[in-house]
Amino acid sequence: MFQKILVPTDFSPSADAALDLARRAFPQARLSILHVQDVRAMGVPDLSTGGLAPVIPPVDVQQEIGQAERERLRALTLEGEEADMLVGDPVQGILKAARDLGVDLIVMGTHGRGGLAHLFLGSVTETVVRESPVPVLTIRHA
Ligand code: ATP
Ligand code: MN
């Protein structure tokens, strides 16, 4: 039924659960694991508000983060699986990869590293579910 599956990961437990589910439920499918490096903004503690202030990291720091994420992605990928990395907005990256790779299913976590635990769905998953041309299977980390 499903032959090519995209599993987007932000390396969170929920994304790990999605990868595990995709492997076990669709052992005959080709898996593409995708990480989108989100360079738009990082949250740094803002002492004046007690919250997080958005900061764009400098290019050399972005490159170092990219290297580390590439390494994590490689460590996650099993033989016979494909791994890709994009830079930019996670939602747009996931939808573009889904189109370019011609996947027929996306399997992803309900939550990620941003993790406002009370929200039903993280914002990346919510938008992908709404805009994806192919079915999206979501899994919540137990
Ligand atoms: P928010 O980002 O809105 O604070 P969140 O981090 O809890 O919420 P999402 O970002 O929607 O939740 O993450 C849900 C799933 O989306 C993850 O389990 C993962 O499958 C996918 N995902 C999120 N960010 C990325 C990313 N940068 N690259 C690839 N996949 C991602
Ligand atoms: Mn997130």
Side-chain angles (χ1 to χ4, degrees):
M1 162 104 211
F2 296 114
Q3 278 160 5
K4 189 137 202 235
I5 301 175
L6 183 68
V7 184
T9 184
D10 60 354
F11 309 112
S12 62
S14 198
D16 286 346
L19 184 54
D20 189 53
L21 174 68
R23 283 172 177 153
R24 286 185 297 111
F26 309 103
Q28 81 304 335
R30 282 198 293 154
L31 290 198
S32 282
I33 309 171
L34 171 75
H35 176 68
V36 185
Q37 186 184 352
D38 188 353
V39 294
R40 292 164 310 168
M42 284 170 63
V44 296
D46 182 344
L47 296 179
S48 62
T49 63
L52 292 177
V55 163
I56 310 279
V59 170
D60 57 328
V61 174
Q62 287 176 19
Q63 277 167 354
E64 253 172 60
I65 294 171
Q67 265 316 318
E69 291 183 339
R70 201 174 299 279
E71 200 42 58
R72 278 187 95 169
L73 185 59
R74 194 183 2 246
L76 215 63
T77 307
L78 300 180
E79 210 176 316
E81 296 174 348
E82 203 180 290
D84 289 296
M85 223 169 113
L86 294 174
V87 177
D89 171 49
V91 169
Q92 293 316 316
I94 291 165
L95 293 173
K96 177 173 168 31
R99 275 196 311 272
D100 291 353
L101 297 169
V103 302
D104 42 30
L105 178 71
I106 299 174
V107 181
M108 62 196 300
T110 54
H111 292 91
R113 291 191 296 188
L116 283 175
H118 62 275
L119 291 181
F120 174 55
L121 281 179
S123 63
V124 174
T125 294
E126 189 190 318
T127 313
V128 170
V129 165
R130 208 163 49 225
E131 296 186 2
S132 171
V134 297
V136 181
L137 176 61
T138 65
I139 177 170
R140 191 168 52 84
H141 175 59

